[in-house]
Amino acid sequence: MSKILVVDDDRNLLELLKIRLESAGYQAVTALKEEEAIEAAKKQFFDLAIVDLQLLSRDGISLMEELHLILPEMPVIILTAYGTIESAVEAIKKGAYSYLTKPFEPRDLLHQIEKALENRRLTSEVKNLRGLLKERYDFDNIVARSGKMQKVLEIIAQIAKTESTVYIEGESGTGKELVAKAIYLASERKNKSFVAINCAALPESLLETKLFGHEKGAFTGAIRSAKGLFTQAHGGTIFLDEIGDMSLPIQAKVLRVLQERKFYPVGSEQLVEVDVRMIVATNKNLEHQVKQGLFREDLFYRIHVIPIHLPPLRERKEDIPLLVEHFLKKFGQQMKKEIKSLTPMAMQKLMLHHWPGNVRELENTIEYAVAMTHQDTIPEDLILQTQPETITDASLKTLKEAKDSYEKTYLIHLLETCGGNVSKASKLAGKYRADFYDLLKKHGLKSEDFKKPQ
Ligand SMILES: Nc1ncnc2c1ncn2[C@@H]1O[C@H](COP(=O)(O)OP(=O)(O)OP(=O)(O)O)[C@@H](O)[C@H]1O
Ligand SMILES: [Mg+2]
């Protein structure tokens, strides 16, 4: 039986609609207030919604948009008063299926509902999403539907061709490296080299020789001189990932490259000149690091020329359906499986998740589901098996307790997904192994407990 959500602030009309829908064989859930509607959509699945355009505290269009963040493919029929055609048209543009002008014939309403449900059944979700895919965005492999990400793409398009240093900040897994590469590929330097290094992955002395190269005999074991990454990137672009983890002495050398385009290789007295464009990324708050004396203020201002902030996935859930399609295609091809879509419930689950690991976590979730599924439509139980805690549970705790308990749930889910493989799990979490072990210890978790029997 199809389930319909009806939102209207007119109690009588709401009752009447409920009776009519039920006698036509539908299950109807009514909401007088916007919040009730949102709550209902978070807890249960709806095949369709009927929303009054003129609600008390807010207009029906914004409510519809919010409902679509939870149930992106649910058709919405808008009810409008006579003479508000313009807003009805606006509603259609923003994703409503159709509208009805009050007062309306019950027959018309039932007809519209049937059409919407039938349409929903026929248009497979994949096709539906393909339509969305056609929307404007210029960078092939960056999925961006939300306004926030569209803005990011606009900035990238504008600044790619300049020589300015780009500063990308964002939580782990938000796509910093992807954006850095996109900037390089759209730049005048795209035919020259792109050299990337993660400043957090190497101990200080190794990072220095990697970046600047060394002279023969500069240290034990330096049997011949070697060129550094800055030299290799000459004429091209260098990407310094996790720049916040760079030690102060190395920061001084990088500053000099930015100011004078010159540096000394380790153990050498010969200045080397380079022409490189720098793109840096950080998931730490560098302003904070500056205040604590961990990051040079002058370097901060030198690199903070074109800042790009990548919003966490939970702040741009509109991107989820498109990202899902993108990853279904990617892993479907890789694993030679023809996966069409997710069930609506599975999609709803994704829309309600908090995504602490951002796009990388979503990518991982889809990879797992594609690997495990035997059907061409991914069922709900292959998605995020560890339920995130609901807000109601969390509201009884302090923020720290809530965060800790969430962290633990997340780690368990991750370890389960990776079968107790710590290097894989730490990579997916965007953490170094050592830090990841610390986290496990903090929560009393043992990776061995998650190993699957061979
Ligand atoms: N908008 C997007 N469209 C498509 N794929 C994306 C998008 N954002 C991120 N990804 C994918 O998610 C994964 C993580 O992205 P990336 O490595 O760029 O994140 P990051 O911010 O550098 O993470 P970390 O801080 O952990 O290094 C990659 O596989 C990337 O291709
Ligand atoms: Mg990265």
Side-chain angles (χ1 to χ4, degrees):
M1 200 192 327
S2 298
K3 202 168 180 185
I4 300 179
L5 174 67
V6 194
V7 195
D8 200 309
D9 52 7
D10 177 342
R11 195 183 292 271
N12 295 330
L13 186 68
L14 204 57
E15 277 309 305
L16 194 66
L17 280 172
K18 187 177 164 74
I19 293 165
R20 287 212 175 113
L21 290 175
E22 282 173 355
S23 62
Y26 297 110
Q27 192 184 344
V29 173
T30 57
L32 262 175
K33 296 210 177 74
E34 292 83 340
E35 306 83 66
E36 287 171 21
I38 301 285
E39 273 314 300
K42 281 185 180 167
K43 294 208 183 89
Q44 38 193 320
F45 178 78
F46 291 100
D47 297 282
L48 183 140
I50 301 172
V51 176
D52 184 20
L53 190 65
Q54 287 89 25
L55 290 167
L56 277 183
S57 52
R58 176 159 42 139
D59 70 292
I61 295 184
S62 81
L63 175 62
M64 171 182 77
E65 285 179 315
E66 203 168 331
L67 288 172
H68 273 159
L69 285 183
I70 304 168
L71 296 162
E73 285 118 27
M74 174 179 67
V76 175
I77 297 175
I78 296 279
L79 303 181
T80 74
Y82 176 72
T84 50
I85 289 294
E86 266 162 38
S87 350
V89 171
E90 182 69 20
I92 301 277
K93 271 197 205 142
K94 296 234 161 104
Y97 174 77
S98 63
Y99 67 89
L100 273 174
T101 317
K102 288 185 197 171
F104 47 82
E105 288 289 321
R107 231 177 349 134
D108 288 343
L109 176 65
L110 293 178
H111 181 63
Q112 295 261 9
I113 292 174
E114 254 167 59
K115 249 181 30 191
L117 291 175
E118 178 66 11
N119 186 36
R120 171 84 195 266
R121 275 189 286 269
L122 290 179
T123 354
S124 74
E125 276 158 55
V126 174
K127 207 167 149 212
N128 204 336
L129 292 172
R130 288 262 155 71
L132 302 177
L133 255 184
K134 286 201 202 81
E135 291 198 6
R136 180 183 67 96
Y137 63 90
D138 313 300
F139 297 92
D140 285 352
N141 53 351
I142 305 184
V143 174
R145 176 173 157 71
S146 59
K148 284 181 178 174
M149 282 304 288
Q150 287 286 342
K151 267 208 194 97
V152 167
L153 292 192
E154 251 162 52
I155 299 176
I156 297 179
Q158 254 174 30
I159 57 91
K161 295 217 171 354
T162 70
E163 291 288 296
S164 316
T165 303
V166 185
Y167 177 95
I168 308 170
E169 57 158 347
E171 285 179 16
S172 183
T174 45
K176 297 186 291 294
E177 187 162 348
L178 189 68
V179 165
K181 282 194 187 132
I183 293 173
Y184 157 71
L185 287 174
S187 77
E188 306 282 3
R189 292 171 177 254
K190 68 166 181 288
N191 295 320
K192 301 283 172 57
S193 49
F194 176 81
V195 174
I197 181 161
N198 184 340
C199 303
L202 297 172
E204 175 174 356
S205 58
L206 212 57
L207 178 63
E208 187 177 3
T209 53
K210 260 247 164 235
L211 284 174
F212 303 103
H214 63 80
E215 207 37 52
K216 182 175 164 183
F219 48 88
T220 343
I223 40 173
R224 61 178 78 87
S225 64
K227 284 191 174 137
L229 295 180
F230 272 109
T231 311
Q232 284 175 34
H234 183 63
T237 305
I238 193 164
F239 175 48
L240 304 175
D241 202 357
E242 315 263 3
I243 195 168
D245 286 39
M246 201 179 257
S247 70
L248 288 163
I250 300 184
Q251 289 175 28
K253 278 183 102 157
V254 171
L255 179 65
R256 180 146 190 210
V257 177
L258 277 168
Q259 284 172 336
E260 303 166 30
R261 303 178 153 214
K262 289 189 187 114
F263 63 89
Y264 288 106
V266 176
S268 162
E269 280 162 26
Q270 193 86 48
L271 263 182
V272 176
E273 255 197 81
V274 282
D275 162 30
V276 289
R277 181 189 198 179
M278 270 192 220
I279 302 179
V280 308
T282 176
N283 57 18
K284 291 188 178 150
N285 182 336
L286 276 199
E287 270 154 314
H288 206 72
Q289 302 253 103
V290 168
K291 283 200 192 102
Q292 291 179 312
L294 296 170
F295 201 86
R296 291 181 68 115
E297 189 169 16
D298 45 8
L299 179 59
F300 176 75
Y301 288 113
R302 273 277 170 179
I303 56 175
H304 200 261
V305 184
I306 298 171
I308 296 181
H309 171 68
L310 291 181
L313 188 56
R314 62 185 163 280
E315 287 176 15
R316 47 175 165 116
K317 289 192 168 173
E318 316 88 286
D319 287 340
I320 292 177
L322 269 191
L323 283 164
V324 168
E325 155 136 19
H326 177 75
F327 293 135
L328 280 182
K329 209 193 268 165
K330 173 175 165 184
F331 294 115
Q333 270 164 11
Q334 259 177 35
M335 301 180 204
K336 307 220 173 353
K337 282 184 170 180
E338 187 67 47
I339 311 288
K340 289 217 287 276
S341 58
L342 269 65
T343 64
M345 302 270 216
M347 181 59 92
Q348 182 183 20
K349 217 164 167 186
L350 293 178
M351 296 301 284
L352 289 172
H353 187 59
H354 192 65
W355 301 112
N358 295 296
V359 184
R360 180 179 289 111
E361 187 192 356
L362 176 62
E363 182 172 12
N364 182 35
T365 304
I366 300 298
E367 180 175 4
Y368 174 83
V370 172
M372 301 301 282
T373 189
H374 298 297
Q375 292 138 272
D376 63 359
T377 300
I378 292 177
E380 175 206 2
D381 55 346
L382 285 181
I383 297 288
L384 301 166
Q385 282 133 316
T386 325
Q387 272 288 335
E389 292 195 285
T390 62
I391 296 291
T392 356
D393 296 334
S395 58
L396 303 170
K397 298 173 180 163
T398 66
L399 180 60
K400 174 149 194 332
E401 283 166 349
K403 273 187 185 157
D404 279 349
S405 121
Y406 187 89
E407 201 174 57
K408 186 168 182 183
T409 315
Y410 170 75
L411 290 172
I412 292 172
H413 170 63
L414 197 60
L415 284 168
E416 260 166 12
T417 311
C418 299
N421 181 332
V422 172
S423 35
K424 205 171 164 195
S426 57
K427 205 169 141 219
L428 291 170
K431 285 272 173 197
Y432 303 113
R433 263 178 91 97
D435 295 343
F436 193 78
Y437 270 119
D438 286 346
L439 274 179
L440 295 186
K441 207 165 134 201
K442 171 174 158 198
H443 293 288
L445 296 169
K446 291 204 184 74
S447 60
E448 308 90 76
D449 295 345
F450 297 86
K451 293 233 154 60
K452 304 214 171 86
Q454 293 297 316

